[in-house]
Amino acid sequence: MRRLYRLLTRWWTAFALAASLALLGAAHAFERFADLAPCNLCLKQREVYWGAVAIALVATLWHLASRGSRGTPRIAAFLLAVVFTTGTITALFHMGGENHWWSLPAACAGGGDVDLEKLAALAFGAGPTSRPVLCDAVTWRFPAGWGLSMAGWNVLISAALAGLSLLAAKRPKDARAPRP
């Protein structure tokens, strides 16, 4: 167990990079293959993971360039904790709106990217009309029917990643430097 802890804390930015890319890939796969269009808050949650990818990539490259002599940069692990905590808060806000614990802002009425060609075609009556994706409508739950929505799962995953980032930022000195 101690060996796993040392490995995880020494290479945390690489693990965080892999986890963030896997979550972004899963989100895009749900969008592409399951036809689950993202709402505005879903896209905001993805932005958090893109921020984590940027931080983790730079820190992992730094770690490799220094030949791993000092372990994961502590500041990068702390920044990842802040980013993943932001993701947890955003996902919790989204989940609360889905469960009608509070009302969501008007900006959550529709989602997706703005395409000027589609808007122009719609203005001239030649474009297809599509309903906006509402942030308070749950389109997928696991387990089906009574489980957590994607936002609910994102709360759990982001909170776990934030906690692991804090562990990596506050690791003991013997986990930072390799033993001779």
Side-chain angles (χ1 to χ4, degrees):
M1 185 70 175
R2 188 175 183 104
R3 181 176 269 175
L4 177 65
Y5 173 74
R6 283 188 180 162
L7 177 70
L8 185 68
T9 56
R10 277 195 81 219
W11 289 95
W12 173 244
T13 56
F15 286 116
L17 176 63
S20 297
L21 288 174
L23 289 166
L24 285 167
H28 287 290
F30 273 107
E31 182 180 350
R32 164 77 94 216
F33 302 116
D35 290 328
L36 295 177
C39 67
N40 284 335
L41 285 174
C42 293
L43 295 174
K44 294 294 180 197
Q45 291 171 61
R46 289 184 193 181
E47 290 174 9
V48 170
Y49 286 112
W50 281 114
V53 164
I55 293 168
L57 180 63
V58 169
T60 301
L61 291 175
W62 176 265
H63 180 68
L64 291 172
S66 67
R67 287 172 273 177
S69 62
R70 300 275 303 153
T72 299
R74 292 178 117 183
I75 188 70
F78 180 73
L79 286 173
L80 286 170
V82 170
V83 168
F84 289 132
T85 300
T86 303
T88 303
I89 293 167
T90 305
L92 185 62
F93 180 70
H94 189 187
M95 186 179 81
E98 288 176 341
N99 292 319
H100 304 291
W101 296 339
W102 46 74
S103 59
L104 295 173
C108 293
D113 295 328
V114 175
D115 185 4
L116 293 179
E117 290 178 10
K118 287 182 182 177
L119 285 177
L122 185 62
F124 293 117
T129 59
S130 62
R131 293 177 45 99
V133 179
L134 302 176
C135 293
D136 61 353
V138 179
T139 57
W140 181 89
R141 286 190 186 272
F142 182 79
W146 55 272
L148 288 175
S149 65
M150 282 191 191
W153 282 106
N154 198 13
V155 169
L156 297 177
I157 293 168
S158 294
L161 290 172
L164 290 171
S165 295
L166 285 175
L167 279 176
K170 177 139 180 42
R171 67 193 176 280
K173 285 187 176 187
D174 64 339
R176 279 186 268 151
R179 293 188 175 207

